[in-house]
Amino acid sequence: MDRPQGRIIELIPDAGAPRALVEMLTAVRCPRCADGKGCGSGLVGGDERPRQVEALVPGHLELRKGDQVWLDLASRDLLHAALVAYGAPLAGMLVAAAVVYLAAVSDLQAILATLLGGFLGAVSGRMYLHRRGCLRSMTPRVTGHCQGGKG
């Protein structure tokens, strides 16, 4: 995955962790994703329109409004987000399928129960994401100024 860059629109001081509102293009820049062989991020947001994201700012960087910056999301954070988004519904479906298999119900009941399990897994994943501070661990970080730096 390519490191995205953006322009700082606003700096948000916060007692916990300072953040910046960064405007970036959503164009797919990863060659594998552009060829349709990657993670599929281009399927949802493939149009080239500006998007604003909130990014954490490390204390050692001096940033101003209008600066061009690099953004990064740690691999472990991306994996964690994928596990919550896809793993929770899948786990719900697998558990429901196992239960209905043991209960020996009709095919229609098994299908409905498995879909319900997926729905409940998605709801539980969403509830997990709304826990205090959970999304902050999956927030992109400003890693530095782009070439041409400040101003």
Side-chain angles (χ1 to χ4, degrees), residues 93-144:
M93 291 178 85
L94 290 174
V95 167
V99 168
V100 297
Y101 176 76
L102 294 174
V105 298
S106 73
D107 288 347
L108 179 61
Q109 290 172 328
I111 291 170
L112 292 175
T114 303
L115 290 174
L116 179 64
F119 175 75
L120 292 176
V123 168
S124 68
R126 192 153 172 84
M127 288 172 50
Y128 173 78
L129 289 175
H130 285 323
R131 283 187 1 205
R132 184 179 178 98
C134 179
L135 282 178
R136 185 158 297 210
S137 71
M138 297 181 222
T139 302
R141 291 163 181 77
V142 174
T143 56

Side-chain angles (χ1 to χ4, degrees), residues 29-78:
R29 295 174 44 151
C30 171
R32 288 187 52 80
C33 290
D35 289 341
K37 299 176 185 172
C39 65
S41 67
L43 295 176
V44 176
D47 57 340
E48 291 192 27
R49 60 185 166 94
R51 178 166 293 169
Q52 296 178 357
V53 296
E54 240 181 58
L56 297 174
V57 177
H60 69 279
L61 285 177
E62 292 183 30
L63 301 173
R64 296 183 311 222
K65 187 176 177 178
D67 286 353
Q68 293 288 329
V69 293
W70 293 109
L71 296 175
D72 191 25
L73 183 63
S75 297
R76 70 180 183 284
D77 295 336
L78 186 60

